[in-house]
Amino acid sequence: MSTKIIFWNCALGIKSKLEYIRDLLATERPQAMFISESEVMEKDVNLLNIRGYELCVAATIKGEFAVARAACFVRSDLKFKQIKTDPKLDIVALDIGENRLIGIYKGFKLPTGFTKKTYTNFFLNKLAFLSRSNKNVCIGGDFNIDISKNCPASEDLETWAIDAGLIQLVDQVTRQRAVCLENGQIRIEKSVIDHVYTNWLDSEINYVNSISDHMILIVQLVNLKLPGTTKEGFLVRDWRNYQASEVHDILLGAKDQMSIQSFNDLSIVLRNTLDQVAPMRMVKVREKQLVNTKIDAIKKRRDRFLKKYKNSRNPEHLAKAKSFTKTLKKVVKKEARRTFQLKAVSPNPKNFWQTFNFALGGFNSPITMITMNGKDEKDALVLSNAFANFFGDKITKLCNGEIDYCVPEKPEAPIRFNIVELREAIKTMSNKKSFGLDGITQNFFRTSMQVLDHESLEVLNEFARNGLDTSLKTARVIPLHKKGDKTDLNNYRPVSNLSVFSKVYEKCLLMRLESELRNVEGEHQHAYRKSHSTETALLTIQAVMSETLDENHQGRLYSVDLSAAFDLLRPDKFYNMFRNRISEGLMFALMDFLTERSFVVELDKKQSNKINLDRGCVQGSILGPKLFTLYTHELANELGDVKVVTYADDTYVIITGESIDEIKRKANITFERHVNYLTKIGMVVNKSKTEVLWIGKEKAIEDIELNNLKLKVADNIKALGIMISGNLNWDAHANLALEKGKKLMSSFSFLRKYLTRDQFLKAHFYGAVFYATVVWFDRCKERFKTKFKSLHYRLLRTACKDYHFSKSKFELTKICNWANPIEWNKFATASKVVKIVRDQMPKPLFDLLDKTLYVEPRKPGFGKFFDSSKTKWGYQSIQNRMAMMGEVKDDWMERHISDDAIRILMKNSFFGYFN
């Protein structure tokens, strides 16, 4: 089935060309003819009659003397609807059956009251709205922008087309006019300002000379099957026409029609509304995934000419195929640039690194085959059940003891949430499209709660009274590849997707739990706590090791690896730990949340049988990590007189003593206590992955025995991403960071052509190479610092494209406004110290700093500083790196100073380029 459409800028109005247009319509018989520069006034509409066609004009006609500069003749035998458009724009938009046809006049002509940037955004947003449709779309007309020339507007237009999944059909000059120069000569000006965009992939365009200076574009649109597709497909949500206002209108109507009093009522209303505003649509499964439909269409045209060449050996067909190959490369490059630019400006480094790895060939492909019992299995239902059994059996094998079910009776005074807590919980939710088994997405739920928050509050309070609905206790699990062979089940881990109702309920419970139990996790825990991080954990480890070395003592650091730690939390043990410390209502809600859980594995929309769980704190949940840190809070007390540092389930124990024998004795006792404590609460220690580091200026022992387990003492161990040596020599980590930096630099050089300079500099290179710089950089050797500075300026030269070393380091710094590693380390260290002192957390680090902190300013205009006379400056101790705090201007101790103000203050103190 094909559709013929005509786009033409008639110049000087329809009235002056009416007979010409009438003859053209009679000859071509298009379904629609869009005319730019139509110059139609309201009084003229009924006079411009053409037999067999109806005239539609743009919404710009308002008042007796207003003029519509875009119009369309539509065949009278067709049923059509004119879409309402903005009266500021000359646009005619029509829905004709399964087609959406749009004509435009001078889309990029700047009207009064706009800047170029604001108008471009305004115009393209309107186009994006009109092009979001399930129908076949075709948009054409005089855009008043020459796409043969590179300019910001044409790039923005191309980005819009790519995002909308539209291809540009016009590939030659569409306007020619003679211009008389001052010297009497005549110059022919040529441009491509008439465009045609469509999602019909197999379409042709004919260019016909006309009596105006614009060509007539006759577009033959053929709706054929997409190349590289099969008959199979899968259903996805169609978000193209999703609007928050429509959601609100539908929900307000539903509230008027029915009383929403239960979770079931609320779920039905939300699911029905979601199906209306974002209905399911079928997406074809492609045998070969391409970037977008535009690239797909170009590839198809190239292949068509190659086929013609093979049959005819006509060199013109080969030349045409080569031309399309060049075009394809250009389009792919532009699409890659657009994709990287979008990801590079994201505040989430995860988005950037996913795109970065994809560009270098490292990406997760869908699970299509798993080898089981020597046979390759591809059926999605069989695979989903295999993964479900694998994940379930893995937990069962690790389980230690039977669970004593102990969900308390329903409380006489259950907790009751208020609207402020609910709104805070919703506010902190991300605006993602992820969903649980009920199919309700987070972004839709956030929009809905602007109308149904009071109804949702009653549902949450019902959960607190009687328990969470059983349907919300089942997680939707997606297998995620970790490393190694992708056909091996053992190389996958489960990722849980929970219902959005469950997430909101968890967040409300978490806020109540944190208000009842403050700092119960213990000083040793640095995960999931305000003012704590991996950096504070590492600084604590370093402080203890530094003190040991300063006193010429020796010690031992060992790390413990737990198997499936979060999955083995026992609800009965948790209840016994906190039954007298948590209020009755909250304890009932927590225990109900932890018990009678289950999961199903989903692959390619096929779900496995349900697997029941009798323990675990639900990975992927909001509440789970907090419950785990509470569950293991007694670890430090159980181990006695040793230093314990933990981050989630990663534990590091430091044992010191005056002699080797004393250290050995304490280590064996401590390790035995450690394993016994973890076994008692249901955890399983993977002893084969236990690592031991000797602390001392020289390694005094090669092998040791811990609890009848023979282990080799390592020179370095990796703790939370940092290589730590027993004598705090940072050579190993500096080498590791340099190698990573060099490798990334080679890859980043490849990215430079896709990103602007500012985007390139913010592409998370520093975050990867200088991770936890406050721990190690200041005390690594000068030769390493020199290499890091060299790597830094290499990054700046690449950013400035100064490949011939024409700019000095000073010029590079001035252009890029980028601190060198030494400046960055001072800034990062000072910022971390300020945060620790102001928050007085983590307490062990605050106590260390408090010993050397003067409460009076050094002199007017300068802030507090650290006094070396109050304590011994230790070998690499955190106090030893505080000399730079005297350089900080103003009083950073003032509590009313915001975090942003602190950052500016620190940059002004340490960054040479900063003003």
Side-chain angles (χ1 to χ4, degrees), residues 440-458:
I440 298 174
T441 60
Q442 289 189 193
N443 64 324
F444 169 73
F445 187 83
R446 286 189 57 167
T447 303
S448 303
M449 287 306 100
Q450 297 175 34
V451 178
L452 297 177
D453 52 356
H454 286 88
E455 289 78 3
S456 296
L457 180 62
E458 289 305 313

Side-chain angles (χ1 to χ4, degrees), residues 227-244:
T229 63
T230 69
K231 293 181 180 179
E232 298 178 358
F234 58 94
L235 291 172
V236 296
R237 288 278 175 201
D238 187 354
W239 296 100
R240 292 176 292 181
N241 294 322
Y242 178 79
Q243 293 185 57

Side-chain angles (χ1 to χ4, degrees), residues 350 382 489 511 528 588 635 678 714 778 860:
K350 183 179 178 181
V382 174
L489 282 172
M511 289 189 286
Y528 317 118
F588 167 78
L635 176 61
L678 293 173
D778 187 67

Side-chain angles (χ1 to χ4, degrees), residues 419-437:
I419 196 68
V420 175
E421 289 174 306
L422 173 61
R423 288 172 178 169
E424 180 63 25
I426 294 169
K427 181 181 177 182
T428 57
M429 289 177 62
S430 58
N431 203 33
K432 300 188 296 186
K433 295 184 177 68
S434 58
F435 56 89
L437 287 176

Side-chain angles (χ1 to χ4, degrees), residues 846-866:
F846 170 70
D847 290 343
L848 280 174
L849 296 175
D850 190 46
K851 293 176 183 176
T852 51
L853 177 66
Y854 262 159
V855 292
E856 301 88 5
R858 289 182 65 195
K859 58 183 179 179
F862 285 78
K864 311 299 185 294
F865 72 106
F866 289 81

